[in-house]
Amino acid sequence: MGARYGRWAGLVCAAALLAAAQARAAPGARHAPPGLAGIHKIRHVILVLQENRSFDAYFGTYPGADGIPTAGGRPMVCVPDPRAHRCTPPYPDHHDMNAGGSHLAWSATADVNGGRMNGFLRVAERTGRGCLGSAAICDPGAAPDVLGYHTGSDIPNYWAYARHFVLQDHLFAPVASESLPVHLYLFSGWSARCHNPRDVSTCRSSLDPVTQSVANPKPYAWTDITVPLSRRGVSWAVYLDHGAQPRLGSPAFTRRTASGPVRLGIGSLPGVPRLWNPLPGFSDVPDAHMRTMRRFYADLRAGRLPKVSWLLPDDRDSEHPPALVSWGQSHVTRIVNAVMQSRAWHSTAIFVTWDDWGGFYGHAVPPRVDALGYGLRVPGL
C-alpha cells in the first residue's frame, strides 16, 4: 500500500494542525492542561463522514474559497445539456431534498471528461437520477439537479463552522468511485479485489472491490488502521447511527404484499448500511468496537471517549440523496454541540467530510495520482 495511507492520513494530519491552531473554545469550556501546545493539545480525534456532496454543491459560493468561477456574481462556467441542446450554468438550489446523480467509477470519469469537468448533465440524463424511490422527486423525466448548489442560508451551521474554524477547499475523495471503496480508504488506505480473501498477495487495486456477503463475510485480506492503533494502545470505536443494518438480501429487506414479496432498498431500514461500514469485513476487528450513537453520547458524558472515533450516519441522517440536507446538518450539529458542552472539547479535533461527490457539479479537476484516483472534490471542515 505504501503511499496510499497518505491520502486520508496526510489530509487529517495537516487539518489537525490547522484545527489546533485556529479552533476557538466554547463559552465555559475548560482550558487545555498546562504544558501542552499545538498538536499535542489534541487527545481525541472524531471523524464524521457524511454522504454524497461535492464541494461546489455546498461551498461553491463561500467567500474566499476556491468556489465556482464567477464574474459579477454570475457563473462563468456552464455544462452542456444534450437534452436541451444548450450549455447550462450552475444555479442556486434551495430545496431541502435533492436527487443528485450517478456516482460510480464510470460516471466519475464521465463527469471529469478529461479535465473539462462538463459531463454532469450528460451522465444524469443518461441514468435518470431524477427518480430515487422518493415520491416527491421520483420523476424520470424531470430535469436533473446536479448543477444546483446550496448557499449559506440553506446550510447555516456548516457555513458557521467554515467561518469560525477551518474549511478545506482542496480536499479530494481518495478514489474516483462510490461509497464502498472510499470507506475502505477511510479505514485501511486501500481498495482492492482479492482472489483469495485470506491471502493479501492475491489482492489487486480496484474501484469495484468485493462486497461482504453471507457466504464470504470476511473478504478483506489486508490490514486496517485499527491494528496499529490497538498495538500502540490507542483506544478507538466506530459509532453507528441507530446501529448496523442487516445484510442486504436478508429477510429484513423483504416486505410481503398482496402481489408478492417486494425487495427494499438500504434507505428503508434504520441503521448504517454495511457498504458504509466495511470495517467488520476485516478479520481482526472486535465487535466490541462497534457501538451506537446513543453509546457515543453516553461515553462523552462519562468522560470515556476513545482517542479515535468514527461516526457513521444512517440513511436518514446521511445527506445521501434523497435524504434531507437539513436532517444531515442537524445530525452533525448535535454531535458538535455535544462535544462543545463536554469535558473533551478542549482536547478534541473534529473532522467533518463527505465520502464522494454524489454526481453533483464540481469545477476543480482532481489530481491524478494512480489508477484509483483522486476522486472529485468534497467539502472538509
Side-chain angles (χ1 to χ4, degrees):
M1 286 183 299
R4 290 194 176 90
Y5 265 110
R7 284 180 140 116
W8 280 113
L11 290 167
V12 168
C13 184
L17 289 166
L18 288 171
Q22 298 186 25
R24 300 177 182 176
R30 293 172 174 83
H31 296 294
L36 298 178
I39 194 79
H40 301 290
K41 293 180 181 179
I42 297 175
R43 294 315 209 207
H44 306 278
V45 173
I46 297 175
L47 297 136
V48 181
L49 190 63
Q50 295 293 101
E51 294 285 320
N52 290 49
R53 301 287 166 168
S54 71
F55 182 90
D56 284 353
Y58 270 7
F59 294 99
T61 58
Y62 186 85
D66 181 6
I68 299 168
T70 59
R74 304 174 73 86
M76 298 172 58
V77 292
C78 64
V79 173
D81 185 343
R83 182 183 293 172
H85 304 289
R86 63 172 180 261
C87 198
T88 303
Y91 59 88
D93 181 354
H94 303 297
H95 291 97
D96 200 15
M97 180 185 291
N98 303 126
S102 175
H103 44 283
L104 304 174
W106 74 265
S107 42
T109 300
D111 283 350
V112 173
N113 195 19
R116 290 179 284 274
M117 306 304 294
N118 65 1
F120 299 89
L121 282 175
R122 184 178 296 109
V123 170
E125 291 171 0
R126 172 182 169 184
T127 55
R129 295 295 291 185
C131 183
L132 293 177
S134 169
I137 59 171
C138 193
D139 181 3
D145 62 3
V146 293
L147 297 188
Y149 59 82
H150 291 282
T151 64
S153 61
D154 303 325
I155 46 175
N157 294 3
Y158 287 153
W159 277 44
Y161 296 148
R163 184 169 63 253
H164 292 296
F165 300 100
V166 176
L167 172 64
Q168 293 174 271
D169 63 358
H170 286 89
L171 178 64
F172 295 85
V175 296
S177 189
E178 57 178 329
S179 290
L180 178 59
V182 171
H183 286 72
L184 283 172
Y185 256 99
L186 177 70
F187 289 114
S188 75
W190 200 22
S191 174
R193 276 183 174 270
C194 303
H195 179 70
N196 181 348
R198 300 186 183 280
D199 183 359
V200 71
S201 68
T202 69
C203 301
R204 300 292 181 270
S205 297
S206 174
L207 289 170
D208 184 24
V210 175
T211 58
Q212 299 174 22
S213 67
V214 174
N216 186 18
K218 303 286 187 183
Y220 308 125
W222 63 97
T223 303
D224 64 272
I225 196 172
T226 69
V227 173
L229 290 179
S230 296
R231 286 176 179 170
R232 290 179 173 267
V234 178
S235 58
W236 63 271
V238 179
Y239 293 95
L240 306 175
D241 190 15
H242 298 99
Q245 268 191 2
R247 295 188 185 278
L248 276 173
S250 71
F253 281 98
T254 301
R255 178 176 297 162
R256 298 189 180 280
T257 66
S259 57
V262 175
R263 180 166 291 184
L264 306 176
I266 63 172
S268 59
L269 296 177
V272 177
R274 292 178 181 263
L275 292 179
W276 298 354
N277 180 31
L279 195 56
F282 293 90
S283 60
D284 45 22
V285 176
D287 291 339
H289 288 271
M290 301 294 126
R291 305 172 183 175
T292 65
M293 281 300 300
R294 182 176 296 181
R295 172 71 181 274
F296 169 78
Y297 292 116
D299 286 347
L300 193 59
R301 288 192 298 269
R304 296 192 304 262
L305 192 67
K307 300 297 184 185
V308 180
S309 303
W310 289 273
L311 276 56
L312 303 179
D314 72 357
D315 187 74
R316 186 183 68 167
D317 292 332
S318 70
E319 296 163 69
H320 187 301
L324 299 181
V325 172
S326 60
W327 275 98
Q329 180 182 240
S330 295
H331 168 71
V332 174
T333 302
R334 282 193 297 273
I335 293 168
V336 175
N337 284 351
V339 179
M340 281 186 169
Q341 295 160 9
S342 76
R343 290 174 288 175
W345 173 242
H346 69 264
S347 61
T348 300
I350 304 174
F351 303 92
V352 182
T353 189
W354 287 255
D355 68 339
D356 63 57
W357 82 113
F360 290 103
Y361 175 76
H363 82 277
V365 181
R368 185 70 168 175
V369 294
D370 59 28
L372 298 184
Y374 293 143
L376 282 82
R377 191 170 58 148
V378 294
L381 293 166

